[in-house]
Amino acid sequence: MINIALLRRNHLIGKRIAEEILNTRSDDYGKAIIKNLSIFLSTKYGGGFDQSSLYSYTRFYRFFQHF
């Protein structure tokens, strides 16, 4: 069974990251966004927000932009 709430959450997180990274020119800044966001979300909400997951959410958003 598909958890629509998690799909939507991951899509929205990916969208926010993609938009933030698109507004910059530096790859290093994009990496810093992912790293800092991972720490913030993990501290606030617990697991599931490591850096590789956040990159996956961003790829998910880019592939399904009109979800």
Side-chain angles (χ1 to χ4, degrees):
M1 185 159 126
I2 298 174
N3 188 331
I4 299 299
L6 284 177
L7 283 175
R8 187 71 178 140
R9 179 203 71 180
N10 296 348
H11 186 264
L12 291 172
I13 290 172
K15 178 181 180 184
R16 174 68 184 179
I17 293 168
E19 289 172 348
E20 190 71 28
I21 290 173
L22 285 175
N23 291 331
T24 68
R25 301 265 188 232
S26 172
D27 286 336
D28 291 334
Y29 182 69
K31 290 176 185 176
I33 290 171
I34 297 287
K35 180 181 178 183
N36 292 334
L37 186 59
S38 173
I39 293 167
F40 173 76
L41 292 173
S42 295
T43 301
K44 187 165 184 164
Y45 299 110
F49 298 106
D50 56 42
Q51 291 182 41
S52 64
S53 294
L54 296 180
Y55 281 112
S56 294
Y57 301 161
T58 305
R59 283 191 306 273
F60 175 66
Y61 166 73
R62 287 182 177 154
F63 192 76
F64 296 105
Q65 288 188 18
H66 302 289
F67 175 65

